Amino acid sequence: MIHPALQPVIRRAILDLIFDVGGEVDDDTATILLNEIGHRIARSDVAAEIRWLADKGLVRLTETPAMLVIASTSDGRDTAMGRLRFEGVSRHKTGE
């Protein structure tokens, strides 16, 4: 489980990741890439944050038996680019 203080940072990192890879990624790949940039997080926690982002309209979510596929929405892209602030998502890109 992610500490509540870290959830906004992880959510922003997920949005940044989707934007950086071209707009679509699955939860397994997202988990691997998040871990590679220093966010030590389990796949189940990534899935929970993806569902939160989908509930807020920042990503589109397609669930299959094996994975979650997430794609950017216009608000998700704007948040990743720093043009939109969203409560519960860090204003700052990971590493900045």
Side-chain angles (χ1 to χ4, degrees), residues 7-72:
Q7 286 175 317
V9 173
I10 297 299
R11 292 170 184 156
R12 174 60 190 263
I14 292 169
L15 292 175
D16 292 338
L17 176 85
I18 297 167
F19 182 78
D20 291 345
V21 299
E24 186 173 286
V25 69
D26 64 75
D27 64 317
D28 186 48
T29 302
T31 302
I32 291 166
L33 294 172
L34 288 167
N35 276 276
E36 285 179 1
I37 62 171
H39 296 293
R40 299 292 175 222
I41 183 170
R43 186 174 177 185
S44 60
D45 291 330
V46 171
E49 297 309 319
I50 289 169
R51 287 186 177 96
W52 186 93
L53 291 165
D55 287 344
K56 304 301 181 194
L58 297 174
V59 298
R60 272 189 321 278
L61 175 62
T62 305
E63 294 194 52
T64 70
M67 70 182 78
L68 303 175
V69 178
I70 47 177
S72 293

Side-chain angles (χ1 to χ4, degrees), residues 73-86:
T73 64
S74 59
D75 283 349
R77 285 187 300 275
D78 284 344
T79 303
M81 295 178 76
R83 296 187 297 224
L84 177 66
R85 291 186 188 167
F86 200 91

